[in-house]
């Protein structure tokens, strides 16, 4: 495909009209975020294009087509001041062998320290959300590690004393093309009864807006971002928060027998469930919601993996990351196993010394970069401020 | 009785297109007349676009494997033909064709290194931009 372009251009045989910006953005939205970041440095035109606000949203729509393996993160909180966020690099198959790729040179394999009060709530749409799980229940943080940006969400309207539990989710309102965050709070109201309260924040505005819709039951830590909405796995059922209509809807789910170990995630753009209930040998089934409108779930994979007790899974075509329980004596330890489904081989991923002591149930996330520029939505966290220090190492990308 | 649309290229060649194929274009759909002139698009390119529309009007199910293979071959053309096709499809507002063509450009970019892209991608004429910058600085 080597064509000498400059000759074509000067001979005038090529129509001299440049391609319209919308088309250029359409093309760029199909490229991996990492490459787009590099393109920024080529010329002013490229810089303007890469930072065009509509590019981030278009790019999000095409994430499922981009074959860049995700960064896998494991977060668990500890009793000490700092908890660990372990990052594992993705793996790439070049037709011959598997090689570890680092997603971005400064934000790759390593262990980052995050202040324990922050719990990683979701890693969706290219953004990480840390909620403050301490008693003070401060504002949540939204972070785009690829850009090194973090934003503090506005303080909640709900009095922190009455909040018992809360959840966050991110979504895209297609009608207004805006990003929204939903916050569901479970707490005690003035009349001493417990209830749910839902508030929505549109990125770029300065407050939360209470909405009448409330979830029919408590949510879970298992959330996934797909089709522009956030889904929670509650037992066997899936609850969706629709960001266009701002209400909760039950979504169809594959009919699985009860008491299964399930993980909800986004597999190549579609909602998927990994069923990893094991007796002696783990037989893993991956169900994918093939058609959102027809509500059809199809079993895409059925694989036997020989692995002991495990917590949860992250799945990417041909790659499976398993968070396993490696507990020895009285210490709770987790490790991450990577299965190459193409090769049929498995490998224990190294991160620091590979094993991290945990005090709470760890969670595994897969993260794909996004171009969303948080500075267009508000004042970024200033280096040195208390909140920034809490997740400071995540922004600077320095691994310990 | 379906209507027949006439598409005229910039070098004055006319293509007759059946209603089903023609209505894949939003521009044609919202046009009041059945005769549309497509400026800046030569016959060779317009002909290919008409061919795509005809193929896609025939088959209802775009997810069909045969259509996918046909589409893949359709977009495997030289860069300059590809860009001309994009301009035409964009003018005629044929969303699916634009998406297929831009995906092809994206795939081609991914297959090359950054340096090659900067030198072969015509719209991003870095050399010219650098020269203009230098001029404005007084060099």
């Amino acid at each position: 495909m080597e064509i000498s372009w400059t000759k074509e251009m000067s001979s005038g045989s090529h129509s001299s009209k440049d391609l319209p910006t919308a088309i250029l953005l359409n093309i760029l939205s199909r490229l991996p975020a990492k490459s787009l970041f590099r393109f920024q440095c080529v010329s002013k035109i490229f810089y303007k294009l890469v930072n065009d606000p509509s590019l981030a949203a278009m790019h999000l729509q095409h994430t499922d087509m981009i074959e860049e393996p995700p960064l896998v993160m494991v977060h668990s909180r500890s009793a000490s001041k700092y908890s660990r966020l372990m990052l594992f690099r993705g793996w790439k198959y070049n037709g011959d062998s598997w090689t570890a790729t680092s997603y971005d040179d400064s934000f790759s394999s390593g262990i980052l320290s995050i202040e324990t009060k922050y719990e990683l709530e979701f890693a969706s749409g290219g953004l990480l959300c840390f909620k403050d799980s301490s008693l003070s229940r401060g504002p949540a943080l939204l972070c785009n590690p690829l850009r090194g940006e973090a934003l503090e969400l506005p303080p909640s309207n709900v009095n922190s004393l009455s909040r018992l539990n809360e959840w966050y989710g991110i979504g895209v309102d297609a009608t207004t093309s805006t990003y929204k965050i939903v916050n569901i709070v479970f707490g005690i109201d003035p009349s001493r009864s417990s209830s749910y309260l839902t508030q929505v924040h549109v990125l770029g505005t300065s407050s939360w807006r209470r909405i009448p819709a409330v979830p029919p039951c408590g949510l879970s830590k298992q959330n996934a971002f797909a089709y522009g909405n956030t889904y929670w796995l509650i037992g066997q059922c899936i609850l969706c928060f629709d960001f266009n209509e701002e209400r909760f809807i039950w979504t169809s789910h594959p009919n699985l027998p009860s008491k299964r170990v399930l993980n909800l995630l986004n597999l190549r753009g579609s909602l998927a469930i990994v069923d990893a209930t094991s007796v002696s040998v783990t037989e893993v089934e991956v169900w994918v919601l093939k058609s959102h409108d027809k509500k059809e779930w199809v079993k895409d994979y059925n694989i036997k993996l020989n692995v002991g007790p495990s917590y949860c899974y992250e799945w990417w075509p041909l790659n499976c990351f398993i968070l396993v329980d490696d507990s020895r004596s009285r210490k709770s330890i987790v490790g991450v196993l990577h299965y190459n489904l193409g090769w049929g081989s498995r490998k224990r991923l190294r991160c620091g010394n590979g094993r991290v002591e945990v005090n709470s149930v760890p969670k595994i996330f897969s993260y794909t970069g996004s171009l969303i520029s948080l500075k267009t939505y508000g004042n970024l966290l200033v280096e040195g401020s208390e909140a920034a220090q809490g997740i400071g190492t995540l922004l600077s990308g320095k691994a310990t | 009785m379906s209507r027949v649309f006439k598409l005229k290229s910039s070098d004055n060649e006319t293509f007759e297109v059946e209603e089903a194929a023609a209505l894949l274009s939003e521009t044609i759909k919202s046009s009041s007349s059945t005769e549309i002139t497509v400026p800046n698009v030569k016959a060779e390119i317009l002909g290919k676009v008409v061919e795509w529309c005809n193929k896609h009007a025939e088959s209802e199910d775009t997810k069909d494997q045969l259509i996918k293979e046909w589409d893949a071959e359709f977009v495997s053309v030289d860069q300059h033909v590809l860009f001309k096709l994009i301009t035409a499809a964009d003018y005629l507002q044929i969303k699916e064709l634009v998406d297929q063509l831009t995906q092809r450009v994206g795939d081609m970019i991914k297959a090359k290194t950054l340096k090659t892209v900067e030198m072969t991608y015509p719209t991003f004429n870095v050399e010219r931009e650098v020269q203009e910058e230098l001029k404005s600085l007084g060099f």
Side-chain angles (χ1 to χ4, degrees):
Chain A
M1 299 300 305
E2 293 296 330
I3 294 177
S4 72
W5 254 119
T6 43
K7 271 195 206 155
E8 287 273 299
M9 285 218 55
S10 53
S11 72
S13 63
H14 166 67
S15 155
S16 58
K17 279 216 172 109
D18 285 338
L19 289 177
T21 310
I23 296 284
L24 294 176
L25 290 177
N26 191 335
I27 295 172
L28 292 181
S29 70
R30 295 162 196 275
L31 302 176
K34 186 173 100 176
S35 305
L36 291 176
F37 269 109
R38 289 210 198 126
F39 280 12
Q40 275 187 108
C41 308
V42 172
S43 73
K44 275 194 192 163
I45 299 176
F46 260 108
Y47 182 82
K48 268 194 225 158
L49 283 173
V50 171
N51 287 297
D52 189 300
S54 52
L55 184 60
M58 286 171 81
H59 189 263
L60 206 62
Q61 284 178 335
H62 296 136
T63 324
D64 53 324
M65 306 231 273
I66 294 168
E67 280 144 31
E68 186 104 350
L71 190 67
V72 174
M73 301 192 264
V74 174
H75 188 222
S76 75
R77 297 158 66 220
S78 61
S80 60
K81 180 159 199 244
Y82 287 97
S83 64
R84 306 302 180 88
L85 181 69
M86 297 194 285
L87 307 174
F88 297 90
R89 297 181 273 180
W91 294 81
K92 216 167 193 159
Y93 185 61
N94 64 1
D96 213 14
S97 59
W98 290 86
T99 47
T101 65
S102 78
Y103 194 84
D104 177 67
D105 294 322
S106 63
F107 178 58
S108 64
S109 177
I111 300 182
L112 301 180
S113 297
I114 313 282
E115 225 177 275
T116 299
K117 69 174 186 178
Y118 286 117
E119 187 178 329
L120 185 54
E121 179 74 355
F122 62 72
S124 316
L127 297 177
L128 305 181
C129 173
F130 289 93
K131 74 177 178 196
D132 183 344
S133 297
S134 67
L135 287 174
S136 60
R137 296 215 185 262
L141 301 178
L142 211 56
C143 169
N144 184 342
L146 215 55
R147 282 196 182 261
E149 294 175 344
L151 188 65
E152 205 172 73
L153 292 179
S156 178
N157 290 332
V158 180
N159 185 324
S160 60
L161 284 179
S162 58
R163 279 189 278 170
L164 294 177
N165 204 350
E166 60 178 349
W167 301 269
Y168 288 88
I170 188 172
V172 179
D173 181 341
T175 53
T176 55
S177 290
T178 50
Y179 287 96
K180 290 181 177 173
I181 310 279
V182 68
N183 169 230
I184 301 106
V185 178
F186 175 61
I188 311 276
D189 69 22
S191 62
R192 299 269 189 96
S193 60
S194 60
S195 64
Y196 294 97
L197 186 150
T198 316
Q199 7 181 45
V200 170
H201 169 67
V202 178
L203 277 191
T205 59
S206 56
S207 63
W208 291 92
R209 172 174 43 94
R210 186 160 168 190
I211 60 168
V214 285
C217 59
L219 302 177
S220 67
K221 289 191 186 238
Q222 288 246 37
N223 60 45
F225 174 73
Y227 323 115
N229 295 322
T230 299
Y231 294 79
W232 283 270
L233 184 69
I234 304 165
Q236 263 266 23
C237 309
I238 302 174
L239 186 65
C240 162
F241 183 75
D242 183 320
F243 283 82
N244 295 344
E245 300 177 22
E246 293 189 354
R247 61 189 187 101
F248 291 93
I249 311 172
W250 286 109
T251 305
S252 66
H253 60 90
N255 269 325
L256 302 170
S258 58
K259 290 199 183 163
R260 312 288 284 190
V261 173
L262 302 174
N263 270 144
L264 184 71
L265 42 98
N266 178 317
L267 181 64
R268 281 279 194 120
S270 304
L271 205 58
I273 290 184
V274 178
D275 178 352
T277 313
S278 68
V279 179
S280 49
V281 170
T282 309
E283 194 167 303
V284 180
E285 295 177 350
V286 180
W287 293 80
V288 179
L289 181 61
K290 281 296 184 189
S291 161
H292 191 230
D293 301 319
K294 293 187 196 154
K295 305 183 193 310
E296 222 181 280
W297 285 85
V298 170
K299 193 193 296 192
D300 247 6
Y301 303 86
N302 186 332
I303 296 157
K304 281 190 169 56
L305 299 174
N306 203 348
V307 66
S310 49
Y311 284 111
C312 47
Y313 290 67
E314 242 331 301
W315 203 275
W316 193 255
L318 295 184
N319 285 286
C320 169
F321 299 90
I322 311 167
L323 198 55
V324 290
D325 183 2
D326 274 349
S327 301
R328 304 274 156 88
S329 63
R330 270 172 264 153
K331 284 189 185 168
S332 251
I333 294 176
V334 292
V336 178
L337 282 182
H338 172 247
Y339 261 87
N340 291 335
L341 300 171
W343 254 178
S345 67
R346 71 191 229 182
K347 189 181 208 132
R348 182 172 285 282
L349 297 185
R350 293 272 154 235
C351 180
N353 65 1
R355 292 182 162 87
V356 173
E357 232 175 276
V358 300
N359 277 69
S360 66
V361 175
K363 232 206 130 195
I364 191 168
F365 299 84
S366 72
Y367 167 79
T368 46
S370 131
L371 300 167
I372 300 174
S373 180
L374 293 175
K375 64 174 179 253
T376 55
Y377 298 118
N379 296 322
L380 298 178
L381 285 188
V382 173
E383 218 179 295
S385 71
E386 204 189 312
Q389 277 176 355
I391 58 166
T393 48
L394 182 66
L395 296 180
S396 64
K398 292 196 188 112
T400 51
Chain B
M1 190 64 196
S2 77
R3 289 181 291 169
V4 168
F5 289 80
K6 296 199 174 133
L7 296 181
K8 204 163 165 198
S9 71
S10 60
D11 45 359
N12 287 320
E13 212 178 299
T14 311
F15 293 87
E16 288 198 352
V17 191
E18 292 276 325
E19 187 167 8
L23 294 184
L24 288 176
S25 152
E26 286 296 323
T27 313
I28 297 179
K29 227 180 186 176
S30 52
S31 157
S32 44
S33 131
T34 55
E35 291 197 12
I36 294 110
T37 310
V38 187
N40 290 322
V41 177
K42 296 222 168 116
E44 183 200 338
I45 301 297
L46 191 55
K48 284 198 74 88
V49 175
V50 169
E51 192 191 336
W52 188 93
C53 290
N54 285 331
K55 185 76 180 180
H56 277 251
E58 268 174 23
S59 163
E60 287 286 304
D61 184 12
T62 48
K63 300 239 194 282
D64 183 24
Q65 192 57 27
L66 289 173
I67 285 263
K68 273 190 177 169
E69 283 174 14
W70 188 91
D71 284 340
E73 241 192 81
F74 183 85
V75 297
S76 312
V77 289
D78 287 340
Q79 273 184 352
H80 61 284
V81 175
L82 197 57
F83 289 131
K84 288 183 196 174
L85 282 172
I86 291 179
T87 312
D90 184 49
Y91 180 86
L92 289 170
Q93 291 184 69
I94 308 170
K95 186 176 187 300
E96 167 124 24
L97 180 56
V98 171
D99 283 345
Q100 283 181 12
L101 293 168
T102 50
Q103 182 62 41
R104 172 75 186 154
V105 177
D107 292 341
M108 282 164 63
I109 293 179
K110 275 193 273 194
K112 302 182 179 190
T113 63
L114 176 62
K115 204 168 163 213
T116 327
V117 168
E118 144 199 343
M119 294 196 304
T120 60
Y121 211 71
T123 323
F124 307 131
N125 197 333
V126 182
E127 213 183 286
R128 179 183 62 195
E129 199 181 312
V130 169
Q131 279 174 357
E132 282 173 9
E133 274 281 304
L134 290 174
K135 258 194 221 161
S136 69
L137 290 172
F139 287 92

